[in-house]
Amino acid sequence: MADLSISLAGIKSPNPFWLASAPPTNSGYQVQRAFEAGWGGAVWKTLGDPILNVSSRFAAISFNGYRVMGFNNIELITDRPLEENLKEIYETKKRFPDRAVVASLMVEPKREKWHEIVKRVEDVGVDGLELNFGCPHGMAERGMGSASGQVPELVEKQTYWVKEVARTPVIVKLTPNITDITATAEAAAQGGADAISLINTINSLMGVDLDTWNTIPHVAGKGAHGGYCGPAVKPIALNMVAECARHPRIRIPISGIGGISTWKDAVEFMLMGATGVQVCTAVMHHGFRIIEDMIEGLNHYLDEKGIASVKDIVGKSVPKYSNWGDLDLNYKVVARINTERCINCNKCYISCEDASHQCIERFRDETGKEYLKVREEDCVGCNLCSIVCPVDGAIEMVEIPSEHPPMTWNERQAALGQLSGYSVDIK
Ligand SMILES: Cc1cc2nc3c(=O)[nH]c(=O)nc-3n(C[C@H](O)[C@H](O)[C@H](O)COP(=O)(O)O)c2cc1C
Ligand code: SF4
Ligand code: SF4
């Protein structure tokens, strides 16, 4: 069995799976049950000045029979008194000393406010702090959450204030509601953050009721934008994690969040640079017990690959994530149809004909049976036919030898510049 333990900026946990700050970490009762089930750590539901929540507050998108593909909420930070939360954090940490207990914090952007709350939560024995600069609704209207998190100067300054007094590692949780997340990640690093976590939820409106014309969800007939999460956001989160991981000036550990439901999702985030991961929607959908499959699956995967420690996979795919200008223009793949597996549904034919390069042809064999073949010289290797094909293995994308040596767009432009006597400055 592989070693699953991690240390995120010094915060240790027996496995890389933490609960994200959200309803599943709202109370000591819940976090302790999660730890009994096997979770390695928990980021407590965000603490701060008392708030009031609305009812209703959640909505979800089901897609093609898959329920909760995307999840949306207009919930705020904890609505329970700080003293109660602190008492339960203390008890939880005492009962589970080997698990990571991190306090998520959100206060007004004032130095003394940050100093005060940091001292109070550290006094009850948390292993670390997570600064919530991510919440896209409710708190943002009061200058907190993503309103702070969208301004690099505010992220840097508030991180710095926290670091002035913090005795435990400080994680800065970033909002995805920004064009370039590396700007705020870098600001967090500049402010002295020990790690970053990402992503928080994405601005969204889940839908409109066709009968009542109300928003979904609505509160007495009125709605407001909420935060989107769940499996649908995973590609967005994974890209943001990868962009931070490969950025030369963000050299701090990453806690990956966003759409993680299985051990496979977690491995992808870790390969792309996350030291560990956090989960919210999958637990809201299926409960704490999913941790059993996650631990078992990760163990199997590492054993099969002969990897002794989960730490050894962190960042292994980062060098493979590059800029478009660095991709080889002469690399070529084409689609090949396996007629043994094909069920002649014609989906690939229609997609290629209507939306790609019209290079799948229909033939009949000597028995009169229809079959499909790709005209490889015209196939651009776009993958569309293999994406729409309903049968696994019926279309394979195969590499074919190139007549030309590898050349990237950047190399091509540099060569053209030399030929014409101009020097081209390429990033
Ligand atoms: C109902 C709900 C409440 C949340 N509350 C918080 C919160 O208080 N603090 C915070 O940092 N993130 C909060 N989040 C965001 C999650 O921690 C997480 O960043 C996000 O849901 C993405 O992960 P997921 O796709 O696994 O759900 C909340 C998410 C949901 C769905
Ligand atoms: S890979 Fe693209 S271009 Fe080639 S056959 Fe499939 S759909 Fe057509
Ligand atoms: S989509 Fe797949 S199964 Fe359908 S015709 Fe094309 S190759 Fe055959």
Side-chain angles (χ1 to χ4, degrees):
M1 289 243 274
D3 173 14
L4 299 192
S5 68
I6 61 157
S7 169
L8 181 101
I11 307 173
K12 293 187 169 47
S13 67
N15 63 59
F17 304 112
W18 295 5
L19 292 172
S21 174
T25 60
N26 197 41
S27 65
Y29 167 75
Q30 289 165 284
V31 175
Q32 290 182 31
R33 280 189 48 239
F35 286 168
E36 278 164 15
W39 288 86
V43 184
W44 211 269
K45 174 77 186 165
T46 302
L47 308 173
D49 288 331
I51 54 90
L52 294 172
N53 266 311
V54 290
S55 156
S56 63
R57 54 182 100 156
F58 300 158
I61 279 185
S62 301
F63 184 73
N64 225 2
Y66 187 99
R67 292 190 72 78
V68 197
M69 194 60 202
F71 192 83
N72 168 279
N73 84 93
I74 51 172
E75 175 176 296
L76 305 185
I77 63 173
T78 181
D79 48 17
R80 303 170 65 233
L82 182 60
E83 296 68 34
E84 231 171 78
N85 277 301
L86 293 178
K87 184 170 158 279
E88 291 172 20
I89 290 174
Y90 173 78
E91 287 162 3
T92 305
K93 186 65 208 171
K94 219 169 150 199
R95 225 188 116 199
F96 293 92
D98 68 325
R99 310 301 165 91
V101 178
V102 174
S104 168
L105 306 175
M106 184 194 287
V107 291
E108 283 171 65
K110 291 184 182 149
R111 188 166 179 239
E112 62 281 7
K113 280 269 182 194
W114 280 111
H115 282 190
E116 186 196 329
I117 195 146
V118 166
K119 282 185 193 142
R120 291 191 71 180
V121 298
E122 287 195 333
D123 282 349
V124 294
V126 292
D127 298 300
L129 310 170
E130 186 180 77
L131 315 187
N132 180 354
F133 295 137
C135 238
H137 46 257
M139 310 309 287
E141 285 82 341
R142 306 165 208 194
M144 295 178 261
S146 65
S148 272
Q150 286 163 336
V151 184
E153 294 75 19
L154 286 179
V155 170
E156 181 177 342
K157 190 185 269 178
Q158 293 179 81
T159 307
Y160 181 80
W161 289 337
V162 169
K163 286 295 292 180
E164 283 178 330
V165 290
R167 287 171 278 133
T168 59
V170 174
I171 308 166
V172 171
K173 183 168 181 179
L174 301 173
T175 177
N177 299 313
I178 184 165
T179 313
D180 177 7
I181 201 155
T182 63
T184 42
E186 195 183 340
Q190 284 291 326
D194 300 289
I196 46 175
S197 57
L198 60 153
I199 58 172
N200 208 310
T201 53
I202 302 173
N203 281 337
S204 57
L205 168 57
M206 225 39 183
V208 179
D209 187 300
L210 296 188
D211 291 324
T212 61
W213 301 356
N214 280 334
T215 61
I216 303 171
H218 73 92
V219 179
K222 272 197 181 163
H225 77 267
Y228 196 45
C229 52
V233 311
K234 188 192 127 192
I236 299 169
L238 191 58
N239 169 57
M240 288 185 167
V241 164
E243 289 296 353
C244 290
R246 76 189 184 102
H247 194 286
R249 289 187 302 277
I250 308 169
R251 287 276 164 256
I252 49 178
I254 298 171
S255 179
I257 320 169
I260 296 165
S261 314
T262 64
W263 66 268
K264 288 183 183 171
D265 298 330
V267 168
E268 288 179 63
F269 274 78
M270 295 184 80
L271 287 170
M272 271 302 171
T275 297
V277 297
Q278 300 183 28
V279 179
C280 163
T281 303
V283 167
M284 294 185 73
H285 190 180
H286 303 294
F288 293 134
R289 294 282 297 273
I290 59 169
I291 188 63
E292 291 170 16
D293 283 348
M294 291 175 113
I295 290 176
E296 196 184 318
L298 180 59
N299 251 323
H300 259 104
Y301 172 78
L302 295 173
D303 286 352
E304 262 177 22
K305 289 216 165 287
I307 297 170
S309 161
V310 72
K311 298 180 200 78
D312 296 340
I313 66 169
V314 174
K316 286 293 186 283
S317 295
V318 176
K320 293 174 182 276
Y321 204 52
S322 186
N323 299 323
W324 189 91
D326 293 326
L327 306 181
D328 178 9
L329 297 169
N330 291 329
Y331 175 80
K332 192 158 164 55
V333 292
V334 294
R336 264 192 208 147
I337 295 174
N338 181 341
T339 47
E340 302 289 310
R341 294 202 170 201
C342 172
I343 56 167
N344 280 329
C345 71
N346 271 331
K347 284 196 84 66
C348 59
Y349 175 80
I350 294 165
S351 294
C352 187
E353 202 66 12
D354 292 359
S356 195
H357 285 67
Q358 302 81 46
C359 55
I360 300 183
E361 294 187 282
R362 288 197 278 215
F363 298 97
R364 282 194 189 280
D365 66 16
E366 55 284 359
T367 66
K369 190 172 167 254
E370 195 173 86
Y371 71 96
L372 299 169
K373 195 165 191 294
V374 176
R375 216 170 46 251
E376 293 188 0
E377 60 277 22
D378 293 326
C379 171
V380 298
C382 69
N383 283 350
L384 182 62
C385 53
S386 67
I387 290 167
V388 301
C389 176
V391 182
D392 281 346
I395 301 185
E396 206 189 343
M397 301 303 300
V398 284
E399 183 183 345
I400 56 166
S402 171
E403 296 147 24
H404 307 288
M407 177 174 278
T408 68
W409 171 259
N410 288 342
E411 287 163 352
R412 183 173 177 274
Q413 292 307 96
L416 287 176
Q418 272 180 0
L419 278 178
S420 62
Y422 289 109
S423 81
V424 186
D425 188 15
I426 297 161
K427 273 197 198 166

